[in-house]
């Protein structure tokens, strides 16, 4: 079955960067877009962007331009979200989600990775 | 950006009661090809969102048929016909017709 296993919680300092991983299994990694979504404590959901691991194409929510960088490693079926110049506003849970191009839907989500930015 | 407004923000229900959640969009979600990319997700406490409904009215895999979705253009509704205890959590609508994709503010379903 489709599984997305995300990396663990991170405690990072303001101004630094962090890289979150999302390891996919149970399907052909290179054939589906991978999306990333941010959820701040007590808040709703915010779409960051997607990457197509087959060729590395990306699309970002303009709000996250310069903040988020999406990459993918085909050899390990792992997608990555890197966040730079971290501030307290980046403290959140970040989800990866597979986009099923046949049914036009994000049909599988990772368990979420918590990032806390604190000195 | 497209704004999705969900009402109510909190919904109290008894087991077996039927309830509805509204999702209104600031723009039509019908695209030029005739598709409407409107989805419903449920996020249970401490879990990631799970798909309930895709493309307005299609039931996600394994989702009980007490859930149904309807609507068009800018007005959409999720109905639960007979709430069960496992349905408690926060419901989100999401649109993917216009970039950036956006989510509604959520509706918390709790037991009365």
């Amino acid at each position: 079955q489709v599984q997305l296993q995300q990396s663990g919680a991170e405690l990072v300092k303001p101004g630094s960067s962090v890289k979150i991983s999302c390891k996919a299994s149970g399907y052909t990694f290179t054939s589906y877009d991978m999306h990333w979504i941010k959820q701040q404590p007590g808040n709703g959901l915010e779409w960051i962007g997607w990457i197509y691991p087959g060729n590395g194409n990306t699309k970002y929510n303009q709000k996250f331009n310069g903040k988020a960088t999406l990459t993918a490693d085909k050899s390990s079926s792992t997608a990555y979200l890197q966040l730079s110049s971290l501030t307290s506003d980046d403290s959140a849970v970040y989800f990866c989600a597979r986009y099923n191009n046949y049914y036009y839907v994000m049909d599988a989500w990772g368990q979420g990775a918590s990032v806390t930015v604190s000195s | 950006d497209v704004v999705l407004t969900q009402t109510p923000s909190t919904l109290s229900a008894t087991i077996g009661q039927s309830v509805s959640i509204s999702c209104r969009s600031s723009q039509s979600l019908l695209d030029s090809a005739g598709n409407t990319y409107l989805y419903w997700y449920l996020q249970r406490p401490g879990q990631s969102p799970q798909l309930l409904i895709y493309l307005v009215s299609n039931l996600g895999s394994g989702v009980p048929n007490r859930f149904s979705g309807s609507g068009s253009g800018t007005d959409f509704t999720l109905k639960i016909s007979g709430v069960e205890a496992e349905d408690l959590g926060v419901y989100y609508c999401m649109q993917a017709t216009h970039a950036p994709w956006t989510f509604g503010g959520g509706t918390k379903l709790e037991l009365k």
Side-chain angles (χ1 to χ4, degrees), chain B residues 24-79:
Chain B
R24 288 190 170 169
S25 174
S26 60
Q27 299 179 36
S28 174
L29 300 184
L30 179 67
D31 77 353
S32 56
N35 300 310
T36 301
Y37 297 93
L38 188 282
Y39 308 85
W40 291 96
Y41 289 90
L42 164 61
Q43 186 174 31
R44 297 188 177 98
Q47 296 187 17
S48 54
Q50 65 172 88
L51 176 69
L52 296 174
I53 301 287
Y54 65 98
L55 301 178
V56 180
S57 59
N58 296 278
L59 209 58
S61 177
V63 176
N65 60 12
R66 63 179 178 274
F67 291 94
S68 62
S70 62
S72 63
T74 60
D75 289 344
F76 303 92
T77 301
L78 174 71
K79 182 176 181 180

Side-chain angles (χ1 to χ4, degrees), chain B residues 61-102:
Chain B
S61 177
V63 176
N65 60 12
R66 63 179 178 274
F67 291 94
S68 62
S70 62
S72 63
T74 60
D75 289 344
F76 303 92
T77 301
L78 174 71
K79 182 176 181 180
I80 310 173
S81 299
V83 169
E84 298 192 5
E86 65 181 20
D87 300 338
L88 304 183
V90 181
Y91 290 78
Y92 294 97
C93 57
M94 187 202 85
Q95 69 82 24
T97 298
H98 303 284
W101 297 9
T102 52

Side-chain angles (χ1 to χ4, degrees), chain A residues 35 39 43-45 47 59 61 95 99 103-106 109-110, chain B residues 37 39 41 43 47-49 51 54-55 92 94 99-101 103:
Chain A
H35 290 244
Q39 185 169 40
N43 284 6
L45 301 159
W47 178 75
K59 183 174 178 66
N61 181 339
F95 295 99
Y99 186 73
Y103 293 105
Y104 304 100
V105 62
M106 292 190 290
W109 293 58
Chain B
Y37 297 93
Y39 308 85
Y41 289 90
Q43 186 174 31
Q47 296 187 17
S48 54
L51 176 69
Y54 65 98
L55 301 178
Y92 294 97
M94 187 202 85
W101 297 9
F103 292 84

